[in-house]
Each structure stands twice: as structure tokens, then as C-alpha cells.
Coordinates of all heavy atoms in Angstrom, one line a residue:
M1 N 0.8 -1.2 0.0 CA 0.0 0.0 0.0 C 0.9 1.3 0.0 O 1.9 1.3 0.7 CB -0.9 0.0 1.2 CG -1.8 1.2 1.3 SD -2.7 1.2 2.9 CE -4.3 1.0 2.3
K2 N 0.5 2.2 -0.8 CA 1.3 3.5 -0.9 C 1.0 4.3 0.4 O -0.1 4.3 0.9 CB 0.9 4.3 -2.1 CG 1.2 3.7 -3.4 CD 0.7 4.6 -4.5 CE 1.0 4.0 -5.9 NZ 0.5 4.9 -7.0
D3 N 2.1 5.0 0.9 CA 1.8 5.9 2.0 C 1.1 7.1 1.4 O 1.0 7.3 0.2 CB 3.0 6.2 2.8 CG 4.1 7.1 2.1 OD1 3.7 7.7 1.1 OD2 5.2 7.1 2.6
Y4 N 0.6 8.0 2.3 CA -0.2 9.1 1.9 C 0.5 10.0 0.9 O -0.1 10.5 -0.1 CB -0.6 10.0 3.1 CG -1.5 11.1 2.7 CD1 -2.8 10.9 2.4 CD2 -1.0 12.4 2.6 CE1 -3.7 12.0 2.0 CE2 -1.8 13.5 2.2 CZ -3.1 13.2 2.0 OH -4.0 14.3 1.6
S5 N 1.8 10.2 1.0 CA 2.5 11.1 0.1 C 2.7 10.6 -1.3 O 3.1 11.3 -2.2 CB 3.9 11.5 0.7 OG 4.7 10.3 0.8
E6 N 2.4 9.3 -1.5 CA 2.6 8.7 -2.8 C 1.3 8.2 -3.4 O 1.3 7.4 -4.3 CB 3.5 7.5 -2.7 CG 4.9 7.9 -2.2 CD 5.8 6.7 -2.1 OE1 5.5 5.6 -2.6 OE2 6.9 6.8 -1.5
K7 N 0.1 8.7 -2.9 CA -1.1 8.2 -3.4 C -1.5 8.7 -4.8 O -2.3 8.1 -5.5 CB -2.3 8.6 -2.5 CG -2.3 7.8 -1.2 CD -3.5 8.0 -0.4 CE -3.4 7.3 0.9 NZ -4.3 6.2 1.0
R8 N -0.9 9.8 -5.3 CA -1.1 10.3 -6.6 C -0.5 9.4 -7.7 O 0.6 8.9 -7.5 CB -0.6 11.7 -6.7 CG -1.3 12.7 -5.8 CD -0.9 14.1 -6.1 NE -1.6 15.0 -5.3 CZ -2.8 15.5 -5.6 NH1 -3.4 15.1 -6.7 NH2 -3.5 16.3 -4.8
D9 N -1.2 9.3 -8.8 CA -0.6 8.6 -9.9 C 0.5 9.3 -10.6 O 1.4 8.8 -11.2 CB -1.6 8.2 -10.9 CG -2.6 7.1 -10.4 OD1 -2.2 6.3 -9.5 OD2 -3.8 7.1 -10.8
F10 N 0.4 10.7 -10.5 CA 1.4 11.6 -11.2 C 1.9 12.6 -10.2 O 1.1 13.1 -9.4 CB 0.8 12.3 -12.4 CG 0.3 11.4 -13.4 CD1 -1.1 11.0 -13.5 CD2 1.2 10.8 -14.4 CE1 -1.5 10.2 -14.5 CE2 0.7 10.0 -15.3 CZ -0.6 9.6 -15.4
H11 N 3.2 12.8 -10.1 CA 3.8 13.8 -9.2 C 3.5 15.2 -9.6 O 3.4 15.5 -10.8 CB 5.2 13.6 -9.0 CG 5.6 12.3 -8.4 ND1 5.4 12.1 -7.0 CD2 6.0 11.1 -8.9 CE1 5.8 10.8 -6.7 NE2 6.1 10.2 -7.9
R12 N 3.3 16.1 -8.7 CA 3.1 17.5 -9.0 C 4.5 18.2 -9.1 O 5.4 17.9 -8.3 CB 2.4 18.2 -7.8 CG 0.9 17.8 -7.8 CD 0.3 18.6 -6.7 NE -1.1 18.2 -6.6 CZ -2.0 18.8 -5.9 NH1 -1.6 19.9 -5.1 NH2 -3.3 18.5 -5.8
M13 N 4.6 19.1 -10.0 CA 5.7 19.9 -10.2 C 5.4 21.3 -9.8 O 4.5 21.9 -10.3 CB 6.2 19.8 -11.7 CG 7.4 20.6 -12.0 SD 8.0 20.4 -13.7 CE 6.6 20.9 -14.7
Q14 N 6.2 21.9 -8.9 CA 5.9 23.3 -8.4 C 6.4 24.2 -9.6 O 7.5 24.0 -10.1 CB 6.7 23.6 -7.2 CG 6.3 22.7 -6.0 CD 4.9 22.8 -5.6 OE1 4.3 23.9 -5.5 NE2 4.2 21.7 -5.5
V15 N 5.5 25.1 -9.9 CA 5.8 26.0 -11.1 C 6.0 27.4 -10.8 O 7.0 28.1 -11.1 CB 4.7 25.7 -12.2 CG1 5.0 26.6 -13.4 CG2 4.6 24.3 -12.6
E16 N 4.9 28.1 -10.2 CA 5.0 29.5 -9.9 C 5.2 30.4 -11.2 O 6.1 31.2 -11.2 CB 6.0 29.8 -8.9 CG 5.6 29.4 -7.5 CD 4.4 30.1 -6.8 OE1 4.3 31.3 -7.1 OE2 3.7 29.4 -6.1
S17 N 4.5 30.1 -12.2 CA 4.6 30.9 -13.5 C 3.3 31.5 -13.9 O 2.2 31.0 -13.7 CB 5.1 29.9 -14.6 OG 6.3 29.4 -14.3
E18 N 3.4 32.7 -14.6 CA 2.2 33.3 -15.1 C 1.6 32.5 -16.2 O 2.3 31.8 -16.9 CB 2.6 34.7 -15.7 CG 2.9 35.7 -14.6 CD 3.1 37.1 -15.2 OE1 2.6 37.4 -16.3 OE2 3.8 37.9 -14.5
I19 N 0.3 32.5 -16.2 CA -0.5 31.7 -17.2 C -1.6 32.5 -17.7 O -2.2 33.3 -17.0 CB -1.0 30.4 -16.5 CG1 -1.5 29.4 -17.6 CG2 -2.0 30.7 -15.4 CD1 -1.7 28.0 -17.1
E20 N -1.8 32.4 -19.0 CA -2.9 33.1 -19.7 C -4.1 32.1 -19.7 O -4.0 31.0 -20.2 CB -2.5 33.5 -21.1 CG -3.5 34.2 -21.9 CD -3.0 34.5 -23.3 OE1 -1.8 34.9 -23.5 OE2 -3.7 34.2 -24.3
I21 N -5.3 32.6 -19.3 CA -6.5 31.8 -19.1 C -7.6 32.5 -19.9 O -7.8 33.6 -19.8 CB -6.9 31.7 -17.7 CG1 -5.7 31.2 -16.8 CG2 -8.1 30.8 -17.5 CD1 -5.9 31.4 -15.3
T22 N -8.4 31.6 -20.7 CA -9.5 32.1 -21.4 C -10.7 31.2 -21.0 O -10.6 30.0 -21.1 CB -9.3 32.0 -22.9 OG1 -8.2 32.8 -23.3 CG2 -10.5 32.6 -23.7
D23 N -11.8 31.9 -20.5 CA -13.0 31.1 -20.1 C -13.9 30.8 -21.3 O -13.6 31.2 -22.4 CB -13.7 31.8 -19.0 CG -14.4 33.1 -19.4 OD1 -14.6 33.4 -20.6 OD2 -14.8 33.9 -18.5
S24 N -15.0 30.1 -21.1 CA -15.8 29.6 -22.1 C -16.6 30.8 -22.8 O -17.1 30.6 -23.9 CB -16.9 28.6 -21.6 OG -17.7 29.2 -20.6
K25 N -16.6 32.0 -22.2 CA -17.3 33.2 -22.9 C -16.3 33.9 -23.7 O -16.6 35.0 -24.2 CB -17.9 34.0 -21.8 CG -19.0 33.3 -21.0 CD -19.5 34.2 -19.9 CE -20.5 33.4 -19.1 NZ -19.9 32.5 -18.2
G26 N -15.0 33.5 -23.7 CA -13.9 34.2 -24.5 C -13.2 35.3 -23.7 O -12.4 36.0 -24.2
K27 N -13.5 35.4 -22.4 CA -12.8 36.4 -21.6 C -11.4 35.9 -21.2 O -11.3 34.8 -20.7 CB -13.6 36.7 -20.3 CG -12.9 37.7 -19.4 CD -13.7 37.9 -18.1 CE -12.9 38.7 -17.1 NZ -13.4 38.7 -15.8
T28 N -10.4 36.7 -21.5 CA -9.0 36.2 -21.2 C -8.5 37.0 -19.9 O -8.7 38.2 -19.8 CB -8.1 36.5 -22.4 OG1 -8.6 35.7 -23.5 CG2 -6.7 36.1 -22.0
F29 N -7.8 36.3 -19.0 CA -7.3 36.9 -17.8 C -6.0 36.2 -17.4 O -5.8 35.1 -17.9 CB -8.4 36.9 -16.7 CG -9.0 35.6 -16.4 CD1 -8.5 34.8 -15.3 CD2 -10.0 35.1 -17.1 CE1 -9.1 33.6 -15.0 CE2 -10.6 33.9 -16.8 CZ -10.1 33.1 -15.8
A30 N -5.3 36.8 -16.6 CA -4.0 36.3 -16.1 C -4.2 35.5 -14.8 O -5.1 35.9 -14.0 CB -2.9 37.4 -16.0
G31 N -3.3 34.6 -14.6 CA -3.2 33.9 -13.3 C -1.8 33.4 -13.1 O -0.9 33.7 -13.9
I32 N -1.6 32.7 -12.0 CA -0.3 32.1 -11.6 C -0.6 30.6 -11.6 O -1.5 30.1 -10.8 CB 0.2 32.6 -10.3 CG1 0.4 34.1 -10.3 CG2 1.5 31.9 -9.9 CD1 1.5 34.6 -11.2
C33 N 0.2 29.8 -12.3 CA 0.2 28.4 -12.2 C 1.1 28.0 -11.0 O 2.3 28.3 -11.0 CB 0.7 27.7 -13.5 SG 0.7 25.9 -13.5
K34 N 0.5 27.4 -10.0 CA 1.2 27.1 -8.8 C 1.9 25.7 -8.9 O 3.0 25.5 -8.4 CB 0.3 27.1 -7.6 CG -0.5 28.4 -7.4 CD 0.4 29.5 -6.9 CE 0.7 29.4 -5.4 NZ 1.6 30.4 -4.9
D35 N 1.1 24.8 -9.5 CA 1.7 23.5 -9.7 C 1.1 22.8 -10.9 O 0.0 23.2 -11.3 CB 1.7 22.6 -8.5 CG 0.4 22.2 -8.0 OD1 -0.5 21.7 -8.8 OD2 0.1 22.2 -6.8
L36 N 1.8 21.8 -11.4 CA 1.3 21.1 -12.6 C 1.7 19.6 -12.5 O 2.7 19.2 -12.0 CB 2.2 21.7 -13.8 CG 2.1 21.2 -15.2 CD1 0.7 21.4 -15.7 CD2 3.1 21.8 -16.1
S37 N 0.7 18.8 -13.0 CA 0.9 17.4 -13.0 C 0.5 16.9 -14.4 O 0.0 17.7 -15.2 CB 0.2 16.6 -11.9 OG -1.1 16.5 -12.3
A38 N 0.6 15.7 -14.7 CA 0.1 15.1 -16.0 C -1.4 15.3 -16.2 O -1.8 15.3 -17.3 CB 0.6 13.7 -16.1
T39 N -2.1 15.4 -15.1 CA -3.6 15.4 -15.2 C -4.2 16.7 -14.7 O -5.4 16.8 -14.9 CB -4.2 14.2 -14.5 OG1 -3.8 14.3 -13.1 CG2 -3.7 12.9 -15.0
G40 N -3.5 17.6 -14.2 CA -4.1 18.8 -13.6 C -3.2 19.9 -13.3 O -1.9 19.8 -13.4
M41 N -3.7 21.1 -12.9 CA -3.0 22.3 -12.6 C -3.7 22.9 -11.4 O -4.9 22.9 -11.3 CB -3.0 23.3 -13.7 CG -2.1 22.9 -14.9 SD -2.0 24.3 -16.1 CE -3.6 24.1 -16.9
Q42 N -2.9 23.6 -10.6 CA -3.5 24.5 -9.5 C -3.2 25.9 -10.0 O -2.0 26.3 -10.2 CB -2.8 24.1 -8.2 CG -3.5 24.8 -7.1 CD -2.9 24.3 -5.7 OE1 -1.8 24.4 -5.5 NE2 -3.8 23.8 -4.9
L43 N -4.2 26.7 -10.1 CA -4.1 28.1 -10.6 C -4.5 29.1 -9.6 O -5.6 28.9 -8.9 CB -4.9 28.3 -11.8 CG -4.7 27.3 -13.0 CD1 -5.7 27.5 -14.1 CD2 -3.3 27.3 -13.5
L44 N -3.8 30.2 -9.4 CA -4.2 31.3 -8.5 C -4.7 32.4 -9.4 O -4.0 32.9 -10.3 CB -3.0 31.8 -7.7 CG -3.3 32.9 -6.7 CD1 -4.3 32.4 -5.6 CD2 -2.0 33.3 -6.0
V45 N -6.0 32.9 -9.2 CA -6.6 33.9 -10.0 C -7.2 35.0 -9.1 O -7.4 34.7 -7.9 CB -7.7 33.3 -11.0 CG1 -7.0 32.4 -12.0 CG2 -8.7 32.6 -10.2
K46 N -7.5 36.1 -9.7 CA -8.1 37.3 -8.9 C -9.6 37.1 -8.6 O -10.1 37.5 -7.6 CB -7.9 38.6 -9.6 CG -6.4 39.0 -9.7 CD -5.9 39.5 -8.4 CE -4.5 39.9 -8.6 NZ -3.8 40.1 -7.3
Q47 N -10.3 36.5 -9.6 CA -11.8 36.4 -9.5 C -12.2 34.9 -9.4 O -11.5 34.1 -9.9 CB -12.5 37.0 -10.8 CG -12.1 38.4 -11.0 CD -12.7 39.4 -9.9 OE1 -13.8 39.1 -9.4 NE2 -11.9 40.4 -9.6
P48 N -13.3 34.6 -8.7 CA -13.7 33.2 -8.7 C -14.2 32.7 -10.0 O -14.6 33.5 -10.9 CB -15.0 33.3 -7.7 CG -15.4 34.7 -7.8 CD -14.2 35.6 -8.1
V49 N -14.1 31.4 -10.2 CA -14.5 30.7 -11.4 C -15.4 29.6 -11.0 O -15.1 28.9 -10.1 CB -13.2 30.2 -12.2 CG1 -13.7 29.5 -13.5 CG2 -12.3 31.4 -12.6
M50 N -16.5 29.4 -11.7 CA -17.5 28.4 -11.4 C -16.9 27.0 -11.6 O -16.2 26.7 -12.6 CB -18.7 28.5 -12.3 CG -19.5 29.8 -12.1 SD -20.5 29.7 -10.7 CE -21.7 28.4 -11.1
V51 N -17.2 26.1 -10.6 CA -16.8 24.7 -10.8 C -17.5 24.2 -12.0 O -18.7 24.5 -12.3 CB -17.2 23.9 -9.5 CG1 -17.1 22.4 -9.8 CG2 -16.3 24.4 -8.3
G52 N -16.8 23.4 -12.8 CA -17.4 22.9 -14.1 C -17.1 23.8 -15.3 O -17.2 23.3 -16.4
E53 N -16.6 25.0 -15.1 CA -16.2 25.9 -16.2 C -15.0 25.3 -17.0 O -14.1 24.7 -16.4 CB -15.8 27.2 -15.6 CG -15.3 28.2 -16.7 CD -16.4 28.8 -17.5 OE1 -17.5 28.8 -17.1 OE2 -16.0 29.3 -18.6
E54 N -15.1 25.3 -18.3 CA -14.0 24.9 -19.1 C -13.1 26.1 -19.5 O -13.6 27.1 -19.9 CB -14.5 24.3 -20.4 CG -13.4 23.6 -21.3 CD -14.0 22.9 -22.5 OE1 -14.2 23.6 -23.5 OE2 -14.2 21.7 -22.4
L55 N -11.8 25.9 -19.2 CA -10.8 27.0 -19.5 C -9.8 26.5 -20.5 O -9.4 25.4 -20.5 CB -10.1 27.3 -18.2 CG -10.9 27.7 -16.9 CD1 -10.0 27.8 -15.7 CD2 -11.6 29.0 -17.2
S56 N -9.4 27.5 -21.3 CA -8.2 27.3 -22.2 C -7.0 28.0 -21.5 O -7.2 29.1 -21.1 CB -8.5 27.9 -23.6 OG -9.5 27.2 -24.2
T57 N -5.9 27.3 -21.5 CA -4.7 28.0 -20.8 C -3.5 27.9 -21.7 O -3.4 27.0 -22.6 CB -4.4 27.2 -19.5 OG1 -3.9 25.9 -19.8 CG2 -5.6 27.2 -18.6
V58 N -2.7 28.9 -21.5 CA -1.4 29.0 -22.2 C -0.3 29.3 -21.2 O -0.3 30.4 -20.6 CB -1.4 30.0 -23.4 CG1 0.0 30.1 -24.0 CG2 -2.5 29.8 -24.4
L59 N 0.6 28.3 -21.0 CA 1.7 28.5 -20.0 C 3.0 28.7 -20.8 O 3.4 27.8 -21.5 CB 1.8 27.2 -19.1 CG 2.9 27.3 -18.0 CD1 2.6 28.4 -17.0 CD2 2.9 25.9 -17.4
H60 N 3.4 29.9 -20.8 CA 4.7 30.2 -21.5 C 5.9 29.8 -20.8 O 6.0 30.0 -19.6 CB 4.7 31.7 -21.8 CG 3.6 32.2 -22.7 ND1 3.6 32.0 -24.1 CD2 2.4 32.8 -22.4 CE1 2.5 32.5 -24.6 NE2 1.8 33.0 -23.6
P61 N 6.9 29.2 -21.5 CA 8.1 28.7 -20.8 C 9.0 29.9 -20.5 O 8.9 30.9 -21.1 CB 8.7 27.8 -21.8 CG 8.2 28.3 -23.2 CD 6.9 28.8 -22.9
S62 N 9.9 29.6 -19.6 CA 10.9 30.7 -19.2 C 12.0 30.8 -20.2 O 12.8 31.7 -20.2 CB 11.4 30.4 -17.8 OG 12.1 29.1 -17.8
S63 N 12.0 29.8 -21.2 CA 13.1 29.8 -22.2 C 12.5 29.6 -23.6 O 11.4 29.0 -23.7 CB 14.0 28.6 -21.9 OG 14.8 28.3 -23.0
D64 N 13.1 30.2 -24.6 CA 12.6 30.0 -26.0 C 12.9 28.6 -26.5 O 12.5 28.3 -27.6 CB 13.2 31.0 -26.9 CG 12.7 32.4 -26.6 OD1 11.6 32.6 -26.0 OD2 13.4 33.4 -27.0
Q65 N 13.6 27.8 -25.8 CA 13.9 26.4 -26.2 C 12.7 25.5 -26.2 O 12.7 24.5 -26.9 CB 15.0 25.8 -25.3 CG 16.3 26.5 -25.4 CD 17.3 25.9 -24.5 OE1 17.0 25.6 -23.3 NE2 18.5 25.7 -25.0
F66 N 11.6 25.9 -25.5 CA 10.5 25.0 -25.4 C 9.2 25.8 -25.9 O 9.1 27.0 -25.7 CB 10.3 24.6 -24.0 CG 11.4 23.8 -23.4 CD1 12.3 24.5 -22.6 CD2 11.7 22.5 -23.8 CE1 13.4 23.8 -22.0 CE2 12.8 21.8 -23.3 CZ 13.6 22.5 -22.4
P67 N 8.3 25.1 -26.5 CA 7.0 25.8 -26.9 C 6.1 26.0 -25.7 O 6.3 25.3 -24.7 CB 6.4 24.8 -27.9 CG 6.9 23.4 -27.5 CD 8.3 23.7 -27.0
P68 N 5.1 26.9 -25.8 CA 4.2 27.1 -24.7 C 3.4 25.8 -24.5 O 3.2 25.0 -25.5 CB 3.3 28.2 -25.1 CG 3.7 28.5 -26.5 CD 4.9 27.8 -26.9
L69 N 2.9 25.5 -23.3 CA 2.0 24.5 -23.0 C 0.6 25.0 -23.1 O 0.2 25.9 -22.3 CB 2.3 23.9 -21.6 CG 1.3 22.8 -21.1 CD1 1.4 21.6 -22.0 CD2 1.5 22.5 -19.6
E70 N -0.2 24.5 -24.0 CA -1.6 24.9 -24.1 C -2.5 23.8 -23.8 O -2.3 22.7 -24.3 CB -1.8 25.4 -25.6 CG -1.0 26.6 -26.0 CD -1.2 27.0 -27.4 OE1 -2.2 26.7 -28.0 OE2 -0.3 27.8 -27.9
T71 N -3.5 24.1 -22.9 CA -4.4 23.0 -22.5 C -5.9 23.5 -22.5 O -6.2 24.7 -22.5 CB -4.1 22.6 -21.0 OG1 -4.5 23.6 -20.1 CG2 -2.6 22.2 -20.8
I72 N -6.7 22.5 -22.4 CA -8.2 22.7 -22.1 C -8.3 22.0 -20.8 O -7.9 20.8 -20.6 CB -9.1 22.0 -23.1 CG1 -8.8 22.5 -24.5 CG2 -10.6 22.3 -22.7 CD1 -9.1 24.0 -24.8
C73 N -8.9 22.7 -19.8 CA -9.1 22.1 -18.5 C -10.4 22.5 -17.9 O -11.1 23.4 -18.3 CB -7.9 22.4 -17.5 SG -7.7 24.2 -17.3
E74 N -10.8 21.7 -16.9 CA -12.1 21.9 -16.2 C -11.8 22.2 -14.8 O -11.0 21.5 -14.1 CB -13.0 20.6 -16.3 CG -14.3 20.8 -15.6 CD -15.1 19.5 -15.5 OE1 -14.7 18.5 -16.2 OE2 -16.1 19.5 -14.9
V75 N -12.5 23.3 -14.3 CA -12.4 23.7 -12.9 C -13.1 22.6 -12.0 O -14.3 22.4 -12.2 CB -12.9 25.1 -12.6 CG1 -12.9 25.5 -11.2 CG2 -12.2 26.1 -13.5
I76 N -12.4 22.0 -11.1 CA -13.0 21.1 -10.1 C -13.1 21.6 -8.7 O -13.8 21.1 -7.9 CB -12.3 19.7 -10.2 CG1 -10.9 19.9 -9.8 CG2 -12.5 19.0 -11.5 CD1 -10.2 18.5 -9.5
R77 N -12.4 22.7 -8.5 CA -12.4 23.3 -7.1 C -12.1 24.8 -7.2 O -11.2 25.2 -8.1 CB -11.4 22.6 -6.3 CG -11.4 23.0 -4.8 CD -10.3 22.2 -4.0 NE -9.0 22.6 -4.4 CZ -8.2 21.8 -5.1 NH1 -8.6 20.6 -5.6 NH2 -7.0 22.1 -5.4
C78 N -12.8 25.7 -6.5 CA -12.4 27.1 -6.4 C -12.6 27.5 -4.9 O -13.7 27.5 -4.4 CB -13.4 27.9 -7.3 SG -13.1 29.7 -7.2
E79 N -11.4 27.9 -4.3 CA -11.4 28.2 -2.9 C -10.7 29.6 -2.7 O -9.7 29.9 -3.4 CB -10.6 27.2 -2.1 CG -11.2 25.8 -2.2 CD -10.3 24.7 -1.7 OE1 -9.1 25.0 -1.4 OE2 -10.7 23.6 -1.4
P80 N -11.3 30.4 -1.8 CA -10.6 31.6 -1.5 C -9.1 31.4 -1.0 O -8.9 30.4 -0.3 CB -11.4 32.3 -0.3 CG -12.7 31.5 -0.4 CD -12.5 30.2 -1.0
E81 N -8.2 32.2 -1.4 CA -6.8 32.1 -1.1 C -6.2 33.5 -1.0 O -6.0 34.1 -2.1 CB -6.1 31.3 -2.1 CG -4.6 31.1 -1.8 CD -4.2 30.2 -0.7 OE1 -5.1 29.4 -0.3 OE2 -3.1 30.3 -0.2
G82 N -6.0 34.1 0.2 CA -5.5 35.4 0.3 C -6.4 36.4 -0.4 O -7.6 36.4 -0.1
D83 N -5.9 37.2 -1.3 CA -6.8 38.2 -2.0 C -7.3 37.7 -3.4 O -7.7 38.4 -4.2 CB -6.1 39.5 -2.2 CG -4.8 39.4 -3.0 OD1 -4.3 38.3 -3.3 OD2 -4.2 40.5 -3.3
G84 N -7.2 36.4 -3.5 CA -7.6 35.8 -4.8 C -8.3 34.4 -4.6 O -8.9 34.2 -3.5
F85 N -8.2 33.6 -5.6 CA -8.9 32.3 -5.5 C -8.0 31.2 -6.1 O -7.3 31.4 -7.1 CB -10.2 32.3 -6.3 CG -11.2 33.2 -5.7 CD1 -11.2 34.6 -6.0 CD2 -12.2 32.7 -4.8 CE1 -12.1 35.4 -5.4 CE2 -13.1 33.6 -4.2 CZ -13.0 34.9 -4.5
L86 N -8.0 30.1 -5.4 CA -7.1 28.9 -5.8 C -8.0 27.9 -6.6 O -9.0 27.5 -6.0 CB -6.5 28.3 -4.6 CG -5.3 27.4 -4.9 CD1 -4.2 28.2 -5.6 CD2 -4.7 26.9 -3.5
L87 N -7.7 27.7 -7.9 CA -8.5 26.8 -8.7 C -7.8 25.4 -8.8 O -6.6 25.4 -9.1 CB -8.7 27.3 -10.1 CG -9.2 28.7 -10.3 CD1 -9.3 29.0 -11.8 CD2 -10.6 28.8 -9.6
G88 N -8.5 24.3 -8.6 CA -8.0 23.0 -8.9 C -8.6 22.7 -10.3 O -9.8 22.8 -10.4
T89 N -7.8 22.2 -11.2 CA -8.3 21.9 -12.5 C -7.9 20.5 -13.0 O -6.8 20.1 -12.6 CB -7.9 22.9 -13.6 OG1 -6.5 22.8 -13.8 CG2 -8.2 24.3 -13.2
N90 N -8.7 19.9 -13.8 CA -8.3 18.6 -14.5 C -8.0 19.0 -15.9 O -8.8 19.6 -16.6 CB -9.4 17.6 -14.4 CG -9.5 16.8 -13.1 OD1 -8.5 16.7 -12.4 ND2 -10.7 16.3 -12.9
I91 N -6.9 18.5 -16.4 CA -6.6 18.8 -17.8 C -7.3 17.7 -18.7 O -7.1 16.5 -18.5 CB -5.0 18.7 -18.1 CG1 -4.3 19.8 -17.3 CG2 -4.7 18.8 -19.6 CD1 -2.8 19.7 -17.3
S92 N -8.1 18.2 -19.6 CA -8.9 17.2 -20.4 C -8.2 17.1 -21.8 O -8.3 16.1 -22.5 CB -10.3 17.7 -20.7 OG -10.4 19.0 -21.1
E93 N -7.4 18.1 -22.2 CA -6.7 18.0 -23.5 C -5.4 18.9 -23.5 O -5.5 20.0 -23.0 CB -7.6 18.5 -24.6 CG -7.1 18.4 -26.0 CD -8.1 18.8 -27.1 OE1 -9.3 19.1 -26.7 OE2 -7.6 18.9 -28.2
V94 N -4.4 18.4 -24.0 CA -3.2 19.2 -24.2 C -3.2 19.6 -25.7 O -3.1 18.7 -26.6 CB -1.9 18.5 -23.9 CG1 -0.7 19.4 -24.3 CG2 -1.9 18.2 -22.4
T95 N -3.4 20.8 -26.1 CA -3.6 21.2 -27.5 C -2.3 21.6 -28.1 O -2.2 21.6 -29.4 CB -4.6 22.4 -27.6 OG1 -4.1 23.5 -26.8 CG2 -6.0 21.9 -27.2
R96 N -1.2 21.9 -27.3 CA 0.1 22.1 -27.8 C 1.1 22.0 -26.8 O 1.0 22.3 -25.7 CB 0.2 23.5 -28.4 CG 1.5 23.9 -29.0 CD 1.5 25.2 -29.7 NE 2.9 25.6 -30.0 CZ 3.2 26.8 -30.3 NH1 2.4 27.8 -30.3 NH2 4.5 27.1 -30.6

């Protein structure tokens, strides 16, 4: 049996990078990607986002050696965090 720290199928990578987010109505806003795994992301944003909302994201790399990571994800959690909101998302598609 896996201990608690190893229950995830994919490890999270701490990121702390700016991310461009577009909601299903076409509104684009900025956020901070706090962590990333093969199946999801944790995002810090200024405004709350409804659970179930589909978001398109673009995470730009810190180097020109790699292309941006573009995804479609679904919000599964939205919790107040400081002066913003912490979103838990499931990645449904990596588009680039």
C-alpha cells in the first residue's frame, strides 16, 4: 500500500509561473500556475471561477527552447486564497 505522500498517480511539479487563461465566454485573464501534473493544474486567479467551467490555458516557458504548454481544463475546485482564488483543474486535453 502506498503511503499518503505517494497516493497520486502523477507527481506534482511546483511551477509559480504566469499563465494566460480564457474562459468559455472568451474572456481572457492572467493567473499564476502554482503546480502542474500530468492530469491537472493548480491556478491562482483574482476572480472566482465556477466549478465545471472549461478553461483554455497557455503556459509560456521561461526559455525559448520550449514551446508554450496549451491546455483545455475543467475547474473542479475554487477556494478563497489570500486576496484571490485557488483553482483546482483537471486537464482534459493538451492542445500544444
Side-chain angles (χ1 to χ4, degrees):
M1 178 186 245
K2 293 180 181 179
D3 71 16
Y4 183 76
S5 65
E6 296 179 15
K7 285 189 187 252
R8 295 188 177 277
D9 290 331
F10 299 99
H11 292 285
R12 289 183 180 188
M13 181 173 58
Q14 300 302 310
V15 180
E16 290 291 326
S17 294
E18 288 188 21
I19 190 166
E20 181 181 313
I21 304 164
T22 304
D23 66 18
S24 60
K25 297 175 187 75
K27 178 184 174 196
T28 299
F29 53 99
I32 301 292
C33 181
K34 304 289 280 177
D35 67 46
L36 174 66
S37 78
T39 59
M41 289 187 281
Q42 190 174 56
L43 308 175
L44 182 63
V45 296
K46 295 286 185 194
Q47 301 294 323
V49 178
M50 295 283 293
V51 169
E53 177 76 20
E54 186 175 85
L55 303 175
S56 298
T57 68
V58 180
L59 181 62
H60 294 281
S62 57
S63 164
D64 289 340
Q65 294 178 317
F66 303 102
L69 174 66
E70 298 180 14
T71 72
I72 305 294
C73 57
E74 178 184 354
V75 176
I76 58 170
R77 184 179 68 255
C78 179
E79 300 170 345
E81 176 76 19
D83 61 350
F85 294 86
L86 201 54
L87 306 180
T89 69
N90 278 339
I91 297 173
S92 55
E93 183 179 352
V94 175
T95 56
R96 179 174 173 197

